[in-house]
Amino acid sequence: MKKVKIGLLGMGNIGTGSYKVLHMNHGHILETTGLDLEITKVLEVLVDRDRGIPIPKEIFTQDFEDILNDPEISIVIELLGGYEPATTYMEQCLEKGKHVVTANKAAVAANWERITAAAEKGGSLFRFEASVGGGIPCINAITTQLSANVITEVMGILNGTTNYILTKMGEEGKEYGEALKEAQEKGFAEADPTADVEGHDVANKLSILMSLCFGKRVHPDDIPTTGITDITKEDIADAESQGCVIKLIANGVRNGDEVTCFIQPTYINKNHPLAGVKNEFNALFLKGNAVDDVMMYGKGAGPFPTASAVLGDVIEVAKLV
Ligand code: HSE
């Protein structure tokens, strides 16, 4: 048995989900991997929030240094979201030799060079499976099993909140605002849902995917992006009349050294596999020059699916160190 102590930065929806999944599956993980994982410190101001699970008060701290300087903590999970202080905290942990796991696509997409330089300096591991596609293990697939391929295209539905809204508007005639509120209540949306509905969250994810698939850094701000805020019930009815549904599609194509990309609401014929991707589910298509087409499908948002990816990274790192 190997005891592994973990520091958690942020206990919002995903942090709480990760704590709960670890509690639920601790015995299974111990039995199958020999790893005794324990979250021993949590950086969080909202100590008294009802999280639906008893959490010992003494593991909460309001001082990041308590986690950074705890020699027993070898892995830090960053779930604060946003650029700062998340990026600086990750850098400091990595430079100090602590391994970092994050779901923070905004920080990974914008500050990739800073974070990876810190990991190199500290000889630490950095994992970010949960940053793209929620519970779909796409980062792992791209960086391991598919790495013998030249990947020429990556496309799909990469945001659970907008897909949930479009599904509820299309299938149940719900108003945009009502569907967004539901997505927020279910823990799919970002703290500021503008990032979801205006497509910036997808831009972060497509930027990360293109870095991994094409070896090309395209900053999220440089990806032509249209969100779903202008989609009306009339647009949805018009798509329906043509045998289609509207989906927010991300697309990146590599042609030699050139990369083209965009994010936009798109009419998808109801016979197309992407039309069947509903609610918070995401789907990702890749084209590799050996494997040909690959499609991955699963829950792209929500506390438990995202926790699955976070803890998968933690287990992988804990096995390696
Ligand atoms: N807000 C994101 C979404 C969370 O709705 O897809 C998962 O990245």
Side-chain angles (χ1 to χ4, degrees):
M1 186 183 82
K2 185 168 161 188
K3 178 100 194 155
V4 179
K5 294 194 177 182
I6 299 162
L8 175 60
L9 308 182
M11 209 183 221
N13 286 329
I14 308 305
T16 303
S18 300
Y19 192 90
K20 284 181 177 171
V21 172
L22 185 53
H23 180 78
M24 177 172 81
N25 291 343
H26 179 270
H28 168 77
I29 294 167
L30 181 61
E31 198 179 309
T32 53
T33 66
L35 295 169
D36 178 10
L37 304 177
E38 186 188 0
I39 294 173
T40 55
K41 284 201 172 88
V42 178
L43 179 71
E44 175 61 60
V45 181
L46 301 174
V47 175
D48 293 322
R49 184 181 147 190
D50 179 9
R51 294 179 167 87
I53 186 171
I55 303 171
K57 270 198 174 170
E58 59 272 17
I59 72 170
F60 285 95
T61 177
Q62 279 77 54
D63 185 356
F64 166 66
E65 303 273 327
D66 281 346
I67 291 175
L68 181 67
N69 295 324
D70 185 335
E72 296 201 322
I73 289 178
S74 55
I75 300 177
V76 174
I77 304 174
E78 186 280 308
L79 298 174
L80 295 166
Y83 303 107
E84 290 296 350
T87 304
T88 301
Y89 286 176
M90 287 194 277
E91 273 183 322
Q92 290 182 346
C93 289
L94 289 163
E95 282 180 8
K96 204 157 182 145
K98 295 191 189 302
H99 312 291
V100 171
V101 170
T102 187
N104 188 335
K105 52 259 166 169
V108 173
N111 297 322
W112 174 255
E113 288 83 1
R114 274 175 66 187
I115 297 168
T116 50
E120 196 166 329
K121 194 170 167 193
S124 324
L125 298 170
F126 176 61
R127 293 289 185 275
F128 49 97
E129 178 63 68
S131 66
V132 180
I136 305 172
C138 54
I139 302 283
N140 222 300
I142 292 164
T143 55
T144 59
Q145 263 306 315
L146 295 172
S147 53
N149 287 264
V150 175
I151 297 177
T152 51
E153 182 169 4
V154 52
M155 69 90 75
I157 296 170
L158 298 177
N159 182 270
T161 301
T162 47
N163 203 45
Y164 184 89
I165 294 170
L166 292 171
T167 305
K168 293 294 174 191
M169 286 174 78
E171 295 195 347
E172 296 173 25
K174 286 201 168 145
E175 297 294 336
Y176 172 91
E178 185 190 358
L180 171 58
K181 191 162 167 279
E182 279 181 16
Q184 288 177 290
E185 283 164 3
K186 288 173 185 280
F188 303 153
E190 297 302 298
D192 176 1
T194 314
D196 294 296
V197 295
E198 291 189 348
H200 305 311
D201 177 77
V202 180
N204 291 331
K205 292 165 178 169
L206 184 59
S207 169
I208 293 169
L209 287 173
M210 289 194 296
S211 292
L212 300 176
C213 292
F214 305 155
K216 286 262 180 197
R217 279 276 292 138
V218 181
H219 194 281
D221 292 348
D222 296 328
I223 300 175
T225 299
T226 308
I228 66 159
T229 46
D230 290 337
I231 301 290
T232 61
K233 281 188 165 178
E234 288 70 33
D235 294 325
I236 287 175
D238 183 62
E240 174 76 28
S241 73
Q242 298 183 46
C244 294
V245 290
I246 299 177
K247 295 288 183 191
L248 183 60
I249 298 296
N251 186 281
V253 175
R254 181 218 316 242
N255 197 347
D257 273 349
E258 296 293 308
V259 169
T260 52
C261 53
F262 64 84
I263 294 156
Q264 66 184 35
T266 306
Y267 279 27
I268 301 288
N269 191 286
K270 284 187 177 175
N271 294 326
H272 191 280
L274 283 179
V277 178
K278 298 183 181 182
N279 295 318
E280 75 270 33
F281 279 84
N282 284 190
L284 180 68
F285 283 97
L286 300 172
K287 188 179 269 300
N289 67 347
V291 71
D292 206 355
D293 287 337
V294 174
M295 179 179 176
M296 293 178 247
Y297 169 81
K299 286 195 172 174
F304 272 34
T306 311
S308 164
V310 167
L311 293 173
D313 275 349
V314 169
I315 291 167
E316 189 208 336
V317 168
K319 280 180 183 167
L320 289 173
V321 298

